[in-house]
Amino acid sequence: MSKLEAILSQEVEAEIQALLQEAEAKAEAIKREAEEKAKALLQARERALEAQYRAALRRAESAGELLVATARTQARGEVLEEVRRRVREALEALPKKPEWPEVVRKLALEALEALPGAKALVANPEDLPHLEALAKERGVELKPDPALRLGVRAVGAEGKTQVENSLLARLDRAWDALSSKVAQALWG
């Protein structure tokens, strides 16, 4: 091989080496860029998954809190209904107590005061003996009504106006205010 061939061969070899180095550098740069993009994509995906996890956790906590609040409200409602049931039982036991005649008399007086000019007092047949003196004193007729419990009804002329005064009706009318006081006493 001649000197010229050797020089040309060296130059070709050098150019090949330069091209190879340039290609390797470009390949390395492309590889680094791809790795950086992959790393950035992976980090973005991890952040998105973490955000989804936190959002799902908050939703689950909120749902749990809602279930607890619902159960607490339901339990409180059941307790209040039990209190109401026991109050009704206590009221229904009053006619057996020695103070009942005075209670029914006071109920009758309140009904008569609420309906001036009443012509009759209606009460359960068992309560009529307790009201005889009051009816005579006020000049009103006594009438039995077996369906009327724990109270009386004052009836105006011709039966057009009536005022009922019973303990159960009073409990029903006052229950909203009473139940809030009971709830306050029980749960603060």
Side-chain angles (χ1 to χ4, degrees):
M1 196 179 277
S2 72
K3 227 177 178 183
L4 180 61
E5 284 180 337
I7 292 176
L8 280 174
S9 177
Q10 269 183 339
E11 282 183 17
V12 167
E13 185 65 30
E15 205 164 304
I16 289 173
Q17 285 301 321
L19 286 173
L20 276 174
Q21 285 177 349
E22 186 181 324
E24 284 177 358
K26 281 184 180 177
E28 187 61 33
I30 290 171
K31 179 182 168 189
R32 269 195 316 274
E33 186 180 328
E35 285 174 347
E36 287 173 8
K37 283 183 180 178
K39 186 178 177 181
L41 284 172
L42 183 60
Q43 288 174 343
R45 186 66 185 145
E46 285 175 351
R47 285 191 302 272
L49 287 173
E50 181 65 27
Q52 288 176 349
Y53 169 75
R54 284 191 304 273
L57 187 59
R58 280 192 302 275
R59 284 192 304 273
E61 287 172 349
S62 293
E65 289 169 1
L66 181 61
L67 284 173
V68 167
T70 301
R72 184 177 291 129
T73 300
Q74 182 178 356
R76 286 180 176 177
E78 290 171 4
V79 167
L80 288 174
E81 278 307 309
E82 177 63 16
V83 168
R84 187 176 189 170
R85 185 187 65 74
R86 288 185 182 190
V87 168
R88 288 180 71 91
E89 284 177 2
L91 290 175
E92 289 172 357
L94 276 177
K96 295 176 180 82
K97 305 244 176 185
E99 61 268 16
W100 177 247
E102 184 58 28
V103 171
V104 77
R105 186 176 186 287
K106 285 181 181 178
L107 291 170
L109 282 169
E110 289 174 1
L112 291 171
E113 288 172 14
L115 185 62
K119 299 298 178 196
L121 264 178
V122 180
N124 189 286
E126 293 178 8
D127 294 332
L128 292 180
H130 308 308
L131 299 172
E132 287 174 353
L134 177 63
K136 193 178 272 190
E137 175 187 314
R138 295 292 178 105
V140 294
E141 180 183 356
L142 282 178
K143 293 185 178 182
D145 181 354
L148 185 56
R149 299 175 345 162
L150 301 173
V152 298
R153 184 179 318 115
V155 180
E158 299 175 22
K160 291 183 180 179
T161 54
Q162 299 182 5
V163 171
E164 186 168 318
N165 192 17
S166 74
L167 296 178
L168 294 178
R170 289 172 99 162
L171 175 64
D172 290 342
R173 284 192 305 270
W175 182 248
D176 286 340
L178 288 173
S179 65
S180 66
K181 288 180 182 178
V182 169
Q184 182 67 30
L186 291 174
W187 301 294

